[in-house]
Amino acid sequence: MSDPTTIRRLYGRRQAFALRNRAQRLVEELLPTVAVPKEGPLDAARLFGKACPLELEIGFGKGEHLVAHASARPETGFIGCEPFLNGVTGLLGHIEDEGLTNVRVHDGDALNVLERLPDAALERVYLLHPDPWPKARHAKRRFVNPGPLDLIAAKLKPGGEFRLATDHPVYMRWAVMQMARRADFEWLAEHPSDWETRPDDWPPTRYGEWAAGEGRPIWYFRYLRR
C-alpha cells in the first residue's frame, strides 16, 4: 500500500504569503544557525553539541506547542519539522524572542529527519492536527499510516511516547483503527476523559484553540512505545 513513506510528497505550496521584513530577516539570519543539517546522520551531539534527550514535533504550525515545551525543559533538545515557510518564521520569532537554544528547525518533510536519526533516539514524537486528507482516495497521504508509524516506532525509545491530536472525526477514526493494529504501541487511556480532555502537560496549539472556539471536539491520544 502506498503511504507517505513511498509518496514522498505530502504538501502543496510551501508559502501562503510574501514574507515581511522581520520574517525575511529570520529566514536569512536565524534559520541557518538553528537549521537541522540537510544531509547526513543526526543525533543529539550533532544537533546540540552534547548528549541530551530528544523530542520531535511533526508539523509545528506557528510553534506555540513546541516553544512551551522547550521553554519549560531547557535540558531537552527539540526538533521541529514544518514544510510551510510561514509557520517556520513563526517559530523562529519565538526562538529569537525567548532566546531558546534547545530548538532545531527543519523546513521540510519530517520523514527526512526521522530517517536520519538513530533508532531509539527519541523520548517523544508529537503529531498535532495533521492534515486529515478526508477523502478516501487521499487516505494514503495521511501521516498515520503503516510506513510512518513503523518509522516513529523505530526512533522512539522503549517507554517513549507518541502524542497525536485531531479535531477531524474521519482522522480520529482512522488513527484509532491504525494504532489498534499495532503491537508496538500501548494506548494510554482508561476512560473517555483520557482522550477527550487535553492533559495538563500538553500545551495548546493556536489551531487547537481555534477549533475549540468553533465548538469542535478535539481528541488527544497518547501511545506508549512498548
Side-chain angles (χ1 to χ4, degrees):
M1 174 182 173
S2 294
D3 68 22
T5 56
T6 56
I7 296 170
R8 306 306 300 206
R9 187 175 183 276
L10 305 182
Y11 312 102
R13 60 182 181 174
R14 294 190 65 244
Q15 190 169 333
F17 49 81
L19 299 181
R20 297 185 178 180
N21 291 343
R22 187 192 185 202
Q24 188 65 45
R25 176 182 61 78
L26 290 169
V27 169
E28 293 175 356
E29 298 178 5
L30 181 58
L31 181 56
T33 71
V34 298
V36 173
K38 296 296 186 184
E39 297 180 351
L42 300 171
D43 58 17
R46 186 177 184 197
L47 292 168
F48 297 100
K50 62 180 180 180
C52 64
L54 292 177
E55 301 187 7
L56 182 144
E57 183 165 346
I58 301 166
F60 54 72
K62 291 286 187 178
E64 296 87 0
H65 172 270
L66 185 62
V67 166
H69 279 301
S71 298
R73 292 182 286 134
E75 75 287 350
T76 297
F78 292 86
I79 307 166
C81 303
E82 173 61 60
F84 297 105
L85 193 56
N86 302 108
V88 169
T89 60
L91 176 57
L92 292 175
H94 289 300
I95 292 173
E96 182 177 69
D97 291 342
E98 302 190 29
L100 297 174
T101 61
N102 61 329
V103 178
R104 296 295 179 264
V105 183
H106 176 65
D107 58 333
D109 189 345
L111 293 173
N112 176 269
V113 174
L114 281 166
E115 289 169 341
R116 293 188 289 140
L117 288 166
D119 287 353
L122 298 172
E123 305 282 343
R124 284 184 187 172
V125 173
Y126 305 94
L127 178 64
L128 310 182
H129 300 285
D131 191 325
W133 294 104
K135 295 181 180 179
R137 68 176 184 272
H138 292 150
K140 61 187 178 183
R141 296 184 178 273
R142 297 170 188 158
F143 207 95
V144 176
N145 259 306
L149 291 175
D150 287 347
L151 196 53
I152 290 172
K155 304 308 175 179
L156 275 172
K157 293 180 177 181
E161 191 176 331
F162 173 45
R163 291 191 174 190
L164 166 69
T166 183
D167 63 304
H168 200 288
V170 170
Y171 206 97
M172 180 271 289
R173 290 191 291 270
W174 176 268
V176 170
M177 177 183 69
Q178 292 293 330
M179 296 302 293
R181 294 173 174 172
R182 305 193 64 93
D184 47 5
F185 284 99
E186 175 187 353
W187 188 7
L188 297 176
E190 297 179 357
H191 308 284
S193 61
D194 293 332
W195 65 84
E196 294 174 346
T197 304
R198 180 169 55 83
D200 290 339
D201 67 342
W202 189 319
T205 66
R206 181 180 302 188
Y207 178 88
E209 291 184 318
W210 173 78
E214 293 285 308
R216 294 199 298 275
I218 299 173
W219 296 279
Y220 303 90
F221 298 105
R222 299 173 58 225
Y223 291 95
L224 184 74
R225 176 68 168 96
R226 290 188 168 122

